[in-house]
Amino acid sequence: MNKQAFEIQPPPLPALDMSGAVDGVLDVSNSDLKPAVTSNPWAQPRLWLEAAGIDNSGQNHTITLYESQTATPEQQAHGFNTPIPREELLNFANKSTFHIKGKIAFDGNSDETATELFPPLELTIINQKEKLYELVDFDDQTYGGWTKGPGGVELQFVLDAPGDYALFNNTSDVGGQHKGIVLQKTFPTTVGEIYEVSVDVKKVNAGTPHAMLFFSIDNDNSPINTISKLTWTNLKFSATAASNTMVVALNNDQSSTNGNDFTINNLLVKSAL
């Protein structure tokens, strides 16, 4: 009877995963996140595990989690659940790709060249909060995504200087309602971050009563500003985001028509420094 020798192949290794990653992106700009490498269980005695990518200077950066370490009974029964220090992940370049690489030695040998590889895991890392900065200068004669409210029904683009357009609020309709939201827009935000809105404004004529402008960010309102100067004045207001979006509005608390005319420019919403 002929005998044939068969090489015993090791069982396939489970896929690696990262807790906290969504669609291949790990966002560690949130300080509450506690990322960890996870997997299904396996049976083997010796492990190697690392995260490898590039740092902000473009140099290779490696986080060594296990180097020829004997697997614990917990790992053999339940798989990886290995935290990666957030402080180490912050050293990777923002929006760069990094890889989780795992190896095992089925025979327990410490020779890394004789190991089997886990299926590699590739992730994109975000370790800096995106700073909001959106300036609308009206030079393209659009509202930049802002929408008009009842206090801005007569808005029109005017040429304030050669090549420099501004937005004029003309309250000429005697029977109109000019009190209320002039412009508003919803922005994405990060809970707990401070955001600032500002605008340049000036009165258009010497009539009275004056426009009375204020900002609102969700439920927070700025003090009311009486617009009485015929020269540019900058209005500012800031508030802390309580959710993942915020509604910013420029409002007018004056309903009259005669002196209630004003021009705005350089409407800016940004993350506070």
Side-chain angles (χ1 to χ4, degrees), residues 87-136:
E87 295 75 16
E88 290 282 352
L89 290 166
L90 291 174
N91 291 321
F92 286 129
N94 188 43
K95 296 184 178 179
S96 66
T97 298
F98 74 104
H99 298 84
I100 303 297
K101 301 177 181 179
K103 304 175 184 178
I104 68 165
F106 282 102
D107 59 3
N109 196 305
S110 60
D111 181 6
E112 190 174 354
T113 63
T115 55
E116 297 289 332
L117 298 178
F118 283 84
L121 174 62
E122 179 179 289
L123 296 166
T124 298
I125 190 162
I126 296 175
N127 54 27
Q128 297 176 13
K129 289 185 174 69
E130 293 294 325
K131 295 297 183 181
L132 176 62
Y133 188 93
E134 183 176 299
L135 173 66
V136 181

Side-chain angles (χ1 to χ4, degrees), residues 10 134 156 158 194 232 237 245:
E134 183 176 299
Q156 54 190 272
V158 294
I194 300 173
W232 290 110
F237 181 57
T245 61

Side-chain angles (χ1 to χ4, degrees), residues 146 181-184 196-201 212-225 233-239 247-253 264-269:
W146 293 71
I181 295 171
V182 179
L183 289 170
Q184 73 174 6
E196 179 182 280
V197 57
S198 63
V199 71
D200 295 330
V201 59
M212 301 171 65
L213 301 184
F214 67 96
F215 285 117
S216 60
I217 299 179
D218 287 339
N219 296 320
D220 294 326
N221 294 336
S222 74
I224 293 176
N225 302 271
T233 299
N234 186 257
L235 308 181
K236 290 184 180 180
F237 181 57
S238 62
V247 179
V248 181
L250 176 65
N251 310 273
N252 190 1
D253 201 42
I264 62 172
N265 206 348
N266 301 317
L267 180 55
L268 174 64
V269 177

Side-chain angles (χ1 to χ4, degrees), residues 165-234:
Y165 279 88
L167 198 57
F168 170 45
N169 193 52
N170 179 22
T171 55
S172 62
D173 183 2
V174 177
Q177 170 57 259
H178 306 289
K179 183 177 181 178
I181 295 171
V182 179
L183 289 170
Q184 73 174 6
K185 186 174 180 178
T186 301
F187 293 87
T189 54
T190 300
V191 175
E193 292 292 302
I194 300 173
Y195 296 89
E196 179 182 280
V197 57
S198 63
V199 71
D200 295 330
V201 59
K202 66 179 179 181
K203 186 174 173 61
V204 173
N205 58 54
T208 56
H210 306 300
M212 301 171 65
L213 301 184
F214 67 96
F215 285 117
S216 60
I217 299 179
D218 287 339
N219 296 320
D220 294 326
N221 294 336
S222 74
I224 293 176
N225 302 271
T226 300
I227 309 304
S228 58
K229 295 182 180 180
L230 298 175
T231 55
W232 290 110
T233 299
N234 186 257

